[in-house]
Amino acid sequence: MKRAPSQTPSRGIHPVKEHGGAEPGEKLIEECRTTSGDRGSILWLSGWSMPAAVFHNVRRELPDFLHICADYGSAESPGAIADSVRRLALSLRASEPHERAFPAPLLIAGWSLGGLLALRLASEGLADGLVLFGATACFVRRPDEQQSGWAPASVQAMIPALRQDADRVLQQFRRLMFTKEERRYGLDASLPEANGWSVPGLIAGLELLVAEDVRDVLPDIHCPALLIHGTHDKICPYGAALEIQAGVPQAVLVEAAGCGHVPFLQKERQTAETIRSWWNDSPEQQNPASV
């Protein structure tokens, strides 16, 4: 991975457990190995149709953080997804130290759909830092913006297809996540099986991807942001990362050359080192009183 040049001048595992008062589709998975949490907490938001297990090996390489994963695969509407992650972030980032469920500072790590959710949360001041993989500020695009996203009709066509044959839709989507070279080396086979998502949850996720657009609030994100993005990403094209970098004042873009939509897969140790190095250099770590 290499840091992309700036585009702007200034600019043992415990079982799954419910977290108090969870709504349908809202659940916390606490991964507590030999972690002290002395560096803070990371809330992980996965991509569309993907289980929290996709981040397992990255989390294992970051034992100095406590890790929490949001599960919204059984949500029944876009609003239910957005509301559930907002409630989780609010509970994790309570203003009073004695009210916090997990240690501060709170980083929010999001991939794809999870990255879109993370950007919205950060714009509301709910993150001390952002880590985004293959993220976008707006998934569906006009014809003249296809270098940064998908046409609305392409996403909307997936909804009736899911109702008819969800397995086929998911297989096609997973194939798009990888480049030909990555598939040739069997990287796609190491992706965890899609599970934990109901068909209504999959449809709700697509509807959120069609509706959500956070481009206007990118300048409101004042925390440090690390973007790790594959240069050959067909799900969220590289242009989407350049757009976020240009809009978020403290964004740093790390280019995953030749990678598709899963730039951290089988690069977990390198990814964790990149996250740790970036966070060590961030203003929040240099000035802890600001957190």
Side-chain angles (χ1 to χ4, degrees):
M1 295 179 186
K2 65 178 182 179
R3 184 171 295 195
S6 174
Q7 301 296 307
T8 57
S10 61
R11 322 230 286 173
I13 301 177
H14 294 282
V16 173
K17 66 178 184 180
E18 298 291 336
H19 186 68
E23 300 291 332
E26 178 183 354
K27 185 166 55 179
L28 286 188
I29 303 172
E30 182 183 350
E31 298 279 354
C32 298
R33 300 173 182 83
T34 56
T35 57
S36 63
D38 54 5
R39 300 300 302 278
S41 306
I42 304 179
L43 172 60
W44 296 86
L45 307 177
S46 68
W48 182 78
S49 79
M50 288 292 105
V54 75
F55 296 124
H56 174 81
N57 289 332
V58 179
R59 297 195 306 263
R60 188 173 60 184
E61 296 291 339
L62 292 166
D64 39 349
F65 290 88
L66 281 174
H67 301 282
I68 311 97
C69 298
D71 175 4
Y72 33 79
S74 59
E76 296 188 354
S77 71
I81 294 175
D83 290 346
S84 69
V85 297
R86 183 175 289 107
R87 280 193 295 270
L88 293 183
L90 282 167
S91 70
L92 294 171
R93 201 175 185 274
S95 57
E96 296 297 330
H98 67 275
E99 296 176 349
R100 292 174 184 158
F102 291 87
L106 174 65
L107 277 63
I108 301 181
W111 171 40
S112 197
L113 168 63
L116 189 54
L117 293 166
L119 285 166
R120 175 66 73 184
L121 295 174
S123 75
E124 298 171 2
L126 296 178
D128 297 308
L130 277 181
V131 179
L132 305 177
F133 307 99
T136 179
C138 179
F139 189 67
V140 297
R141 303 289 181 138
R142 302 190 310 261
D144 60 328
E145 297 178 320
Q146 296 302 294
Q147 77 281 0
S148 299
W150 286 27
S154 299
V155 184
Q156 290 164 343
M158 294 172 67
I159 294 175
L162 278 169
R163 294 191 177 106
Q164 293 176 0
D165 190 346
D167 287 342
R168 184 181 177 206
V169 173
L170 293 177
Q171 287 172 6
Q172 292 172 338
F173 183 77
R174 287 165 71 95
R175 182 174 178 82
L176 282 175
M177 290 184 181
F178 300 95
T179 66
K180 288 182 180 178
E181 284 249 330
E182 288 173 333
R183 290 197 301 271
R184 187 177 302 123
Y185 285 107
L187 189 63
D188 54 332
S190 64
L191 191 68
E193 287 298 318
N195 57 50
W197 284 70
S198 65
V199 171
L202 291 168
I203 292 172
L206 289 180
E207 290 174 341
L208 191 149
L209 286 170
V210 170
E212 185 71 304
D213 183 349
V214 299
R215 288 176 290 182
D216 288 348
V217 298
L218 293 180
D220 298 332
I221 298 174
H222 300 298
C223 66
L226 173 66
L227 319 176
I228 299 177
H229 210 107
T231 56
H232 290 55
D233 192 333
K234 292 181 180 178
I235 305 296
C236 295
Y238 193 68
L242 296 173
E243 184 177 65
I244 296 171
Q245 182 192 23
V248 176
Q250 293 190 61
V252 172
L253 175 57
V254 175
E255 176 186 284
C259 290
H261 191 52
V262 202
F264 54 87
L265 195 62
Q266 292 193 357
K267 298 180 180 67
E268 288 86 359
R269 178 166 296 179
Q270 183 180 358
T271 298
E273 289 172 355
T274 298
I275 292 170
R276 188 177 287 109
S277 175
W278 158 79
W279 186 239
N280 286 344
D281 292 340
S282 71
E284 273 66 9
Q285 283 298 101
Q286 300 301 319
N287 180 21
S290 68
V291 175

